[in-house]
Structure formats: C-alpha cells, structure tokens
C-alpha cells in the first residue's frame, strides 16, 4: 500500500483549525482513496464535531482517517508521501529530519488560512526552502478566485443540499431531530459567533421588530452570551425563550455534517472563523460573517475584501446594507440600526447568495486542487504518481 498523506494540525483555539483539517482528511480518504493520518495536538477539539470520538485515544480510525494524538516529544515515524502542515503549525524537527532522509522526500505543503484579499493570488503556490535541510515547502492558499486553491467542497455536497432544500419532508424531519415540532415559524436564523459579539443589541433589534425571528444558537458560550437578555446567567441545551418578536432556541453542538444541514435549513446564517464561513456560502443562503479577531484589526480588512467580492452579487443598496451590518457585527457598533436597514431590503439576498454559491461552484474544489498540486510537485521531483 502506498504511503499515506499526513496532515499536521495544532489547535490554536475554538474549532476551526480542527474542523478544516478534519474535513480535508475525510475528503482525501473518501474521494481519492488515500491513506490519511491526521496528527492533532488536541484531539479533544474534534470530539464535538463527530459522534463517538474518543478524546483520550492516542490513535483511532474515523471515516477512513487514522486520527493520531500528536506526541510530545515527537516519536520517530516514517513520513508519508505528502505532508500537509496546516496553518503554519511548525513541524517537529523529528518529522523534518525524517522527511529529509526519505527518498524521494515527501511533498511538503503549508495549507494557509482563507482570505479574499488580492495578495493571496500572488502567494499561492510559492516555494520556501528550509534553511538547513534539503527540503522545500510550498504555500497553498485557499481562496475565491481561479488563481487560488479554492474552497473545501465535497463532490456530492451541492446535490445533497439541493435535495434537502427542495424536500419539505426532509426539512421537517430535520427540525424534529432538533427537538422541534416541525419547521419553526418566522425567519429562521442560526447564530454562531464569538461570545464577545454585540448579541444583546442584535437580540434587542429582533425582539423589537415586526418580523418574527426564530433564532438558533449552539449550547455553550454563545448561548451564555444571550442568556442575560432574559436576566439569566446561562441557557441550557434545549432552552427556548421568547421576547417580543423573537424566539431563541439553544441547540446541542451538532456533528459537522448536521451543522451543514442547519445552515441549509435556515433563512439567514451568522457564522464565524473559517470553516462555518465556507459552509454558509455553500448553503446558498444569506449570511453574516464574523472573521476571527486579529491584531491591528487585520480581520476587518479580510471582511472588507470578502464583502467586496460577494457584494457584486447583490443589488447595490442591498450589498451596502449587508456590508454595514457585517461591519457593525464585527466592530460592535450600531448593530440595531444596521439590522433595520438590512431587514428593510426584503428578499433580495437569497438570489444573490445562490448566485454567489453557483459562481464559487464553478471553480475546482480545494481538495482536488491540492491533490493536483501535490501530484505536480511529486512528478517534478521524479517521484512516482501519488
Ligand atoms: O471555531 P472557529 O472560530 O474556529 C477558528 C479558530 O478560532 C481558529 O483559531 C481560527 O484560526 C479560525 O477560526 C479562523 O470557527 P470555524 O472555523 O467556523 O469552526 C467552527 C467549526 O465547528 C466548524 O467546523 C463547524 C463546526 N460546528 C459544528 O460542527 N457543529 C456546531 O453545532 C457548530 C456551532 C459548529
């Protein structure tokens, strides 16, 4: 059997690093039949994303992927044919030395964070020589244009989404699995955000509005941030609260694929970070993205770059209202006012979100591009095909 692909992942915080690596690992195994080893320093970050995951195990097999706790210190392991260093997580010296000894040396790729900024195109695919060892890594940037590495998208994703969105019975069943008696009334909004977001302002705008809003928040810090709106310190899983035009429901943290379904089922999705951001675009539903906060407000430049690209798919005034709400949400100011202007635009966002998703679907997905890229690198160094 040919050597596996290795993915190295360090969990900085939250779920995004683990979430992206897990999706990629699963897709490489399922769609390309590669052996895949995912080394992760905090396997516990994967536990909420998949049922029955053993957070203590040093090694386990899930969805065709060998999931390994990244040992500290590193144990000697023969490196695979392709080594993916996710998000510049810094490979252990033991891995690098073993890679340098291997013949041919593995293809080494640094999978970067997603950004819509234009500089990404110039940096995608660039090489970087190791200062000491005879190794070269290449930077692989996800992105929104043909000159980037694209976005993660499984082969059958859009067909599954379309089938679900067309089928009222499937939607009904889905809501029942969340413990609801069928499809909720009103505008269904999922709210996945950073706990420091101006949630209370948003909830105030919704409860004081004329349109019924059914808001779904995941259990944990987001639900806790909403609790004080009802004078409570916490909202447990399954809690349902009302005020004015707003109903808020706390849902259990869902397995990753079920979370996708929630995004497909809602009319509007508030998402964050990287992975839920991408999945909300594939949901082809209007969304408000909250980028992960960075020093010197670098995240706001990322937000602006994305809004500029996606905004071309909405009428001008609607694109502006969406951009204003997105900036208000990430900047923590004027959220109520921005929500009123966004809501006043009516139904224009759905066709725009669909057109944006179709446009993105015209590009090869990230996994396909990564495999092609690795193959090209392997051939260039005289290795047999992957
Ligand atoms: O959790 P995030 O904020 O993740 C990150 C990290 O903060 C990371 O350090 C940063 O670098 C990166 O963002 C940009 O947001 P994200 O990326 O959306 O990841 C959340 C994951 O959780 C995603 O895979 C979807 C999943 N999820 C579920 O599977 N079920 C759920 O119920 C929910 C709410 C999320």
């Amino acid at each position: 059997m040919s050597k596996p692909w290795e993915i190295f992942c360090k969990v900085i915080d939250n779920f995004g690093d683990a979430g992206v690596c897990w999706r990629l690992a699963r897709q490489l195994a399922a769609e390309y039949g590669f052996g895949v080893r995912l080394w992760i320093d905090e396997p516990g970050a994967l536990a909420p994303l998949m049922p029955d995951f053993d957070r203590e195990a040093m090694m386990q097999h899930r969805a065709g992927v060998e999931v390994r706790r990244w040992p500290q210190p590193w144990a000697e392991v023969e490196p695979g044919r392709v080594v993916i260093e996710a998000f510049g997580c810094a490979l252990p010296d033991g891995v690098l030395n073993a890679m340098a000894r291997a013949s041919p040396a593995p293809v080494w790729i640094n999978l970067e964070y997603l950004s819509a900024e234009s500089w990404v195109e110039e940096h995608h695919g660039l090489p970087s020589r190791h200062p000491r060892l005879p190794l070269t890594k290449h930077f692989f940037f996800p992105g929104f244009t043909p000159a980037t590495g694209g976005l993660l998208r499984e082969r059958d994703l859009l067909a599954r989404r379309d089938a679900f969105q067309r089928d009222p019975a499937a939607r009904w069943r889905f809501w029942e699995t969340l413990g609801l008696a069928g499809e909720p009334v009103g505008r269904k909004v999922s709210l996945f955000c950073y706990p420091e977001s101006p949630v209370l302002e948003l909830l105030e705008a919704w409860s004081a509005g004329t349109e019924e809003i059914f808001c779904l928040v995941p259990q944990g810090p987001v639900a806790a941030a909403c609790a004080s709106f009802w004078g409570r310190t916490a909202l447990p899983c399954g809690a349902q609260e009302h005020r004015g035009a707003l109903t808020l429901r706390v849902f259990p943290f869902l397995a990753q694929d079920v979370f996708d379904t929630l995004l497909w089922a809602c009319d509007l999705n508030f998402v964050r970070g990287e992975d839920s951001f991408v999945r909300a675009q594939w949901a082809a539903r209007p969304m408000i993205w909250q980028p992960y906060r960075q020093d010197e407000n670098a995240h706001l430049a990322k937000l602006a770059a994305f809004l500029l690209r996606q905004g071309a798919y909405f009428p001008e005034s609607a694109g502006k209202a969406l951009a204003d709400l997105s900036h208000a949400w990430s900047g923590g100011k004027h959220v109520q006012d921005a929500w009123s202007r966004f809501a006043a635009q009516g139904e224009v966002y759905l066709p725009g979100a669909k057109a944006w998703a179709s446009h993105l679907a015209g590009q090869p997905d990230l996994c396909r591009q990564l495999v092609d890229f690795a193959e090209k690198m392997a051939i260039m160094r005289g290795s047999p095909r992957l």
Side-chain angles (χ1 to χ4, degrees), residues 12-17 19 23 49 113 192 194 218 251-256 259 272-277 292:
I12 307 298
D13 57 9
N14 306 323
F15 307 102
D17 311 282
R23 281 205 205 270
L49 309 183
Y113 285 114
F192 180 44
Y194 294 110
F251 66 85
F253 204 91
L254 302 169
Q256 221 177 22
F259 181 65
R272 71 185 204 190
E274 177 155 334
D275 189 57
S276 59
F277 169 47
Y292 182 73

Side-chain angles (χ1 to χ4, degrees), residues 92-171:
D93 282 346
V95 175
L96 290 169
N97 291 331
M99 283 164 65
R101 282 196 304 272
S103 177
V107 173
W108 178 16
I109 295 172
N110 190 17
L111 175 65
E112 285 291 337
Y113 285 114
L114 170 64
S115 172
E117 291 160 296
S118 54
W119 60 262
V120 163
E121 294 187 341
E122 290 132 49
H123 290 74
H124 175 55
L126 287 185
S128 164
R129 283 193 67 82
H130 191 274
R132 189 170 48 82
L133 298 166
L135 292 171
T136 300
K137 77 170 157 186
H138 286 84
F139 293 95
F140 190 96
F141 280 84
F144 298 90
T145 64
T148 66
L151 302 171
L152 280 173
R153 182 184 82 235
E154 299 78 19
R155 258 179 222 154
D156 62 349
L157 178 71
L158 305 187
R160 286 191 291 113
R161 175 203 66 192
D162 290 345
F164 177 84
Q165 289 182 337
R166 270 199 301 264
D167 182 353
R171 294 204 306 273

Side-chain angles (χ1 to χ4, degrees), residues 349-364:
Y349 292 107
L350 182 58
K354 286 183 175 172
W356 173 244
S358 308
H359 161 70
L360 293 175
Q363 296 171 16

